[in-house]
Structures are given as structure tokens and as C-alpha cells.
Amino acid sequence: MTNSKWLQLDEKAQNILIKNDRGGFTVPTAGLYPYQWNWDSAFAGWGFSTFDIERAWQELESLFAGQWNNGMVPHILFRSNDPDYFPGPDVWGTEQCGPISSSGISQPPVAATFVRAIWEKDKTIGNNRLKKIFPKLKAWHKWFMTWRLTDRNCIFISHPWEAGRDNSPDWDNAMNPVGVGKYTRRDTSHVDGSMRPTQEDYDRYLWLVQRGRKLKWDEELMSVNRPFEVADPTMTFILLRASRDLLYMAEALDVDNIEISEWCSTLREGIETLRNPDGGFFNAINCRTDEHSGNITSASFLNWYAGIDDDETLKILTKTLEETRYPIPSLSINSEKFDGMRYWRGPTWVVLNSLVGIGLSEMGYIAEATLLRKRTQSLILEKGFAEYFHPLNGTPGGGDSFTWTAAVWLAWASPSNGEY
């Protein structure tokens, strides 16, 4: 890749973030996702930090402006009412729950890690901003440890959307299809339906939303006979990593960190329970039946990001890198459920690539980290800034001019960041 080529991509990625800016917060992409999404927004802040630190802080601060009193940060903030998106604010019914109309569930808490990254770029600007946002980050982590901690000491999700891996096969056997009444999806009017979750998946999603609304999103009430409860490697690894970063920032601020340290220890103890007893890889577990999903997903490789080395996972990763031209697939290409273009059932997502790559590099696996990064560079260079891509041929899928793909390019994939 020539110097001028990657500089052109740097500029294009910056322009995507600016184009998707809606005044202090970004949308993932116009049309398909017209609101502010939780972990998308955190990635956006990371991307902005490469050329506009002030705007990076604004992105994270705008996300936490929607935090509920119980500490939860919603997975969507409805800062307007766009009739072209479903399910919108009128379906969720959270009007009395938070300061901004929102969904009633959360998403993977990458925010603390990116707050640390933004703060470390310029502590002169960042120290006061960190002091203000730190209590909000801690309150969010406390919410996870209060309402999403299993007796295995790992984190479960209460809705497939909460993991950010919406239609992963990890959830297939965790809840039976149920009747939800008639409704009109909007996502398939923006992209090919073959790239999106099935109608059966959407029925499950909507039924859980209807249940939450009926119970007024009261976590204590919703915890009784919960119909969907799956221990998730995405949430567990990411929360452990984020809590370690939160602990680091607590020490820098010289504030009490005992509770955060205990969270890190608890989550670290729970990791091993996610290991599949037959395959040796980390996978999801249906908490209602104790059944392991048996799926090798991109989330299975987040252990290094959380600071956990593992020889068995390294063997599987090595094989995955050999098998796929554009790793890491969101589901192993050897799975009978693999579908290279259907959302989280096979496509590669550069956001997961970046987290896995960061973890590998930090733990000394430079060759693997470099290979993953260079493959991601090539993918974006050849195929653009799509939402996700086919792992074997690179065909772009989902939305285009995607915020977090652009952000990952700027903050991690671009050669402008140097080599490992």
C-alpha cells in the first residue's frame, strides 16, 4: 500500500465520521441506523481521537448523557423519532427511565477502554474530562456486576441485541419462537434481507422488548423467570478488559479502587466456566439449561484483549487465520450454520478484529496481530468502509460509509499508526 493511498483512506475515514456526525454524537450510518448506538459511539470516539480530541470527548460524553439512574447506559439513544426505523421509541416505552428516550437494554462496555485511550493521547485536555466521566463509567460497570453477573461469575445477556452480535447462532437454542403480533420491519428496506436476521429472529427480539415494556424495565422484576439468559464471552471479556482500564484510571485519579479490583478478580475467576468442555474454546452458555453453544465465534478470541493467555485458543486462531482470507469470521467457516453474508453468522467485522488484534499485540503475539491487522487493511483498501464483509471473498455487506469501520481504520488499521 503506497503512502498516498493510505493517506487518502485516512481522509475518507475522517470524512465518514464527520458526515455521520449529528451534532456531538454520531449515527452508525444514515438510513439503516439513524440513532446513537452505544458501542458504535465509543468506537467513534476512538476514531475521532486521531484527529480531533475535543470531538472525541464529546462523543463519549454524549453517550453518557443518556445514562439511567440505575447506572445502565442504553444500547440506543433516540434523540429524534425517525419513522424509518423499527422498533423505535414508541415500541420500547422507556420514557420514565432515563433523561433521553432510549432502548431498555445495554451493549458491550468498551467505553472505559476508549476513554483511557483518548485520555492518554492528551492528558492536559483529558484530566478534567476524565474526572467528570469516571463516576459514570464506574456506575455502569456496577450495573453490570449487579444485574448481569451469573453464579458462574461471568456476564450474561438478557436480549441478543445486548451482546451486539444480534443473530449469532449462540442464541438459537436459548429461547423458543413466540407470537408477537403483526409489525413491519424497516431494516430490510435499506439492505438485502439475506444479509439481515431472519423473521424468526426478529420475533424473538420484539417479544423480549414487549416483555421489558410490560415490566417497566424494572431489573428486579425482569430477573424473575427470565426467558432469555445467556452467558456471553463478548460481554465477559470486554467487561473484564474495561474494568482493568477503569482500575488503572482510578489509580491515576487517586480514588478508591477496591470495588473495581474485586470486579476484575471476580470476572477473571469466571472466564474458565465459558470454556467448552469438548472443544476447549470459549463459547456462550444457556444459563437456563447449562448447555454450551458449541460455536467458535469471533468473540471466542477476545481472551487476549481481556489479558488472558490461552494455548488452546491460539491453536484455533492459527487455523482460522490459515483458512480465511479476511479473518476473523463471526462464526467458524466450518460450522454448518455458517453464512458469510448474514450479519453475525459468518461475516468478518473489523471492530472485533481490532479488539482481538490489540489483545494479541499486548500479550506478545506480534506475528498473529500483524497478520490480522494487515488483512484488515487489505479488506478496507479493496472493499471500502462497509458494515461487515464476507470472510472468504471480502464482499461488503450491510450499511455503507459505516462509522465504526472508519473509526477502526483511523485508530488501528491504518499504516499511519506505524507497525507493531
Side-chain angles (χ1 to χ4, degrees):
M1 189 186 306
T2 63
N3 209 29
S4 60
K5 184 63 176 179
W6 85 60
L7 290 176
Q8 289 174 13
L9 282 178
D10 287 353
E11 183 178 3
K12 185 173 182 179
Q14 290 179 12
N15 288 335
I16 287 173
L17 293 186
I18 293 168
K19 178 182 177 182
N20 289 338
D21 187 343
R22 295 297 182 268
F25 72 93
T26 56
V27 297
T29 190
L32 182 60
Y33 302 109
Y35 299 113
Q36 183 176 15
W37 260 259
N38 187 318
W39 68 331
D40 296 68
S41 197
F43 275 98
W46 190 35
F48 274 119
S49 73
T50 64
F51 66 98
D52 190 340
I53 287 287
E54 174 62 28
R55 182 61 187 80
W57 279 111
Q58 288 177 1
E59 187 71 29
L60 273 297
E61 289 163 351
S62 71
L63 174 62
F64 280 85
Q67 186 169 33
W68 289 12
N69 289 336
N70 65 3
M72 195 269 279
V73 182
H75 99 291
I76 306 175
L77 295 181
F78 300 115
R79 294 177 177 274
S80 59
N81 190 2
D82 190 324
D84 211 23
Y85 177 81
F86 179 88
D90 56 324
V91 178
W92 286 90
T94 63
E95 293 81 4
Q96 307 304 315
C97 299
I100 298 173
S101 180
S102 71
S103 65
I105 58 175
S106 200
Q107 264 190 331
V110 294
T113 298
F114 292 141
V115 164
R116 176 180 172 180
I118 295 166
W119 166 63
E120 289 184 329
K121 279 184 175 290
D122 190 334
K123 292 184 180 179
T124 301
I125 293 176
N127 281 335
N128 286 334
R129 309 294 274 271
L130 177 60
K131 290 176 183 177
K132 292 179 181 178
I133 204 170
F134 179 86
K136 299 178 181 181
L137 288 165
K138 184 178 179 182
W140 188 24
H141 286 219
K142 188 177 182 68
W143 175 85
F144 274 107
M145 297 302 290
T146 302
W147 296 111
R148 295 292 185 270
L149 186 68
T150 72
D151 55 9
R152 300 170 179 268
N153 285 339
C154 50
I155 301 299
F156 73 86
I157 59 170
S158 65
H159 190 294
W161 285 337
E162 206 159 49
R165 300 187 296 125
D166 301 18
N167 67 329
S168 170
D170 279 348
W171 332 130
D172 285 359
N173 299 324
M175 194 181 82
N176 293 324
V178 288
V180 294
K182 292 183 178 181
Y183 61 93
T184 302
R185 291 173 61 174
R186 304 293 184 184
D187 57 320
T188 51
S189 66
H190 295 284
V191 299
D192 190 322
S194 66
M195 298 182 184
R196 299 293 296 171
T198 64
Q199 190 64 39
E200 181 179 84
D201 287 329
Y202 250 80
D203 286 350
R204 298 179 181 186
Y205 304 156
L206 190 57
W207 189 86
L208 289 169
V209 171
Q210 292 174 346
R211 178 178 185 268
R213 177 172 183 152
K214 180 180 178 181
L215 298 175
K216 302 185 185 301
W217 301 104
D218 184 309
E219 291 290 354
E220 191 165 351
L221 294 177
M222 290 192 295
S223 68
V224 178
N225 296 322
R226 197 187 298 273
F228 182 92
E229 186 173 319
V230 183
D232 177 33
T234 333
M235 281 292 201
T236 306
F237 285 131
I238 287 177
L239 183 60
L240 174 54
R241 168 56 186 260
S243 295
R244 290 173 56 221
D245 288 322
L246 193 66
L247 179 61
Y248 179 90
M249 292 184 286
E251 292 170 346
L253 293 173
D254 195 25
V255 298
D256 180 70
N257 58 38
I258 294 176
E259 188 174 34
I260 302 172
S261 181
E262 290 174 347
W263 295 342
C264 293
S265 297
T266 296
L267 293 170
R268 180 65 182 82
E269 291 170 1
I271 294 299
E272 190 59 29
T273 67
L274 292 172
R275 191 184 297 278
N276 187 287
D278 299 320
F281 50 85
F282 298 110
N283 67 178
I285 303 171
N286 183 345
C287 296
R288 292 166 56 85
T289 63
D290 286 332
E291 178 186 6
H292 286 254
S293 73
N295 298 312
I296 299 174
T297 68
S298 45
S300 301
F301 304 109
L302 287 171
N303 54 290
W304 295 288
Y305 182 68
I308 297 170
D309 203 357
D310 189 72
D311 291 341
E312 189 61 36
T313 306
L314 185 63
K315 294 176 185 176
I316 299 171
L317 175 66
T318 300
K319 185 173 184 288
T320 299
L321 293 174
E322 292 172 350
E323 292 177 334
T324 50
R325 182 180 179 187
Y326 299 111
I328 295 172
S330 49
L331 177 65
S332 170
I333 64 171
N334 299 309
S335 170
E336 61 181 16
K337 294 185 177 182
F338 172 80
D339 184 337
M341 291 304 292
R342 194 179 286 279
Y343 220 43
W344 289 93
R345 299 181 81 89
T348 180
W349 295 71
V350 302
V351 286
L352 264 293
N353 288 356
S354 69
L355 301 186
V356 175
I358 288 169
L360 287 167
S361 177
E362 290 175 344
M363 299 203 73
Y365 295 102
I366 305 302
E368 291 83 358
T370 300
L371 179 59
L372 181 56
R373 183 175 172 224
K374 287 187 177 298
R375 296 267 188 90
T376 305
Q377 286 174 359
S378 298
L379 181 59
I380 295 175
L381 172 67
E382 297 166 13
K383 306 297 182 179
F385 292 93
E387 184 176 3
Y388 54 81
F389 308 85
H390 196 292
L392 299 180
N393 57 36
T395 301
D400 194 14
S401 298
F402 218 81
T403 290
W404 68 6
T405 305
V408 166
W409 172 265
L410 290 169
W412 177 70
S414 171
S416 298
N417 294 310
E419 301 297 330
Y420 285 126

